[in-house]
Amino acid sequence: MDVAFLLNKYFNGAKDVSIDVFDAQTLNNVYQDVVGALTAHLEIEVSVLQALSYCLYEMMDNVHIHSGKPLGTAMTYYDSECRSVRVLIADDGIGIKASLAENIKYKDITEPDALRICLEDKITDGKGMGFGLYTTSKLVDCIGKKFVLHSGSHKLIIQSGQTSVVENGYWQGTLIYMEINTAIEIDPNQVVDNRSDIADEYNETFVETGELEQLW
């Protein structure tokens, strides 16, 4: 994977970008390290971290479940001046179109349509629930500054409330990039349609008991 290209394209000018390679065995440890590092930035709204932590795990787990390749790359950066977090999860697997086509319902889907519908609820290749990218898209709708989903020769871009799919370069596998505002308080459980209490899940895993008491 061309990490230098990714740094230049999505983190241009950023210093100390966190770069982690993970597989099925190291996914959980890498995930906890990444979220733990973001948690250390006390100026990030806790509710944003609660929602982001859920979406981040889902995006990383998608590599393991859907890509057909063992390794994924996670890149994260907190911009204190802009009060935003940039997150990139990438793999060099089979890509979204081929993955969805494993479900007979989507066997003839085009690449642009695959990028569009994979952000909808319960769209899956049959190996998962089709909930991870849906929740990520809801987080982007809520506090996103930019979202990019690149797979094959097409790229879906959400910015300024507008969604477009363009033919733009080629990415072998799936690349997800998002930049979100960390200064706005949100209801994290709305990101998952209140199907799970992700606020409590985050607090139990990443917040010390004493710190948790101070939150209230």
Side-chain angles (χ1 to χ4, degrees):
M1 189 171 296
D2 192 343
V3 172
F5 166 78
L6 295 177
L7 285 171
N8 183 64
K9 178 71 175 179
Y10 294 101
F11 300 88
N12 190 24
K15 296 180 179 180
D16 301 321
V17 177
S18 174
I19 305 172
D20 297 280
V21 176
F22 60 91
D23 59 16
Q25 287 69 45
T26 61
L27 188 157
N28 194 59
N29 286 339
V30 170
Y31 161 73
Q32 292 203 29
D33 288 346
V34 169
V35 177
L38 292 174
T39 299
H41 295 284
L42 301 180
E43 64 272 33
I44 299 178
E45 282 287 345
V46 172
S47 59
V48 171
L49 287 170
Q50 291 166 338
L52 176 60
S53 65
Y54 181 90
C55 295
L56 178 63
Y57 186 87
E58 290 293 314
M59 288 188 289
M60 294 173 68
D61 197 41
N62 277 350
V63 173
H64 165 58
I65 296 174
H66 304 291
S67 75
K69 288 293 185 74
L71 299 179
T73 299
M75 304 173 70
T76 53
Y77 173 71
Y78 174 61
D79 188 330
S80 58
E81 291 186 8
C82 297
R83 296 288 300 274
S84 64
V85 166
R86 299 184 219 175
V87 175
L88 185 147
I89 306 294
D91 65 66
D92 61 353
I94 63 175
I96 290 175
K97 177 182 181 295
S99 176
L100 277 181
E102 293 179 358
N103 183 335
I104 191 171
K105 184 177 179 180
Y106 308 114
K107 65 182 182 68
D108 297 320
I109 196 168
T110 66
E111 194 168 76
D113 284 344
L115 296 186
R116 291 187 184 95
I117 72 165
C118 74
L119 299 181
E120 298 174 8
D121 193 8
K122 299 178 182 178
I123 302 297
T124 176
D125 58 7
K127 299 174 185 174
M129 297 185 296
F131 196 52
L133 281 177
Y134 170 67
T135 56
T136 301
S137 70
K138 284 178 66 68
L139 178 63
V140 171
D141 287 343
C142 186
I143 53 173
K145 293 184 175 182
K146 186 174 183 179
F147 177 82
V148 175
L149 178 61
H150 194 175
S151 185
S153 59
H154 289 83
K155 182 183 292 185
L156 181 146
I157 302 169
I158 301 175
Q159 193 167 21
S160 302
Q162 301 296 315
T163 301
S164 60
V165 177
V166 297
E167 192 167 1
N168 185 283
Y170 184 82
W171 183 263
Q172 175 62 50
T174 302
L175 182 155
I176 305 169
Y177 169 83
M178 66 178 173
E179 182 177 354
I180 61 170
N181 191 330
T182 64
I184 300 175
E185 186 174 358
I186 62 174
D187 180 351
N189 288 331
Q190 285 189 356
V191 171
V192 294
D193 291 340
N194 292 296
R195 299 183 199 179
S196 178
D197 193 338
I198 60 174
D200 275 356
E201 291 173 10
Y202 167 86
N203 294 341
E204 290 174 3
T205 305
F206 296 104
V207 181
E208 297 291 336
T209 303
E211 297 176 25
L212 187 59
E213 291 174 352
Q214 293 178 23
L215 290 177
W216 316 117

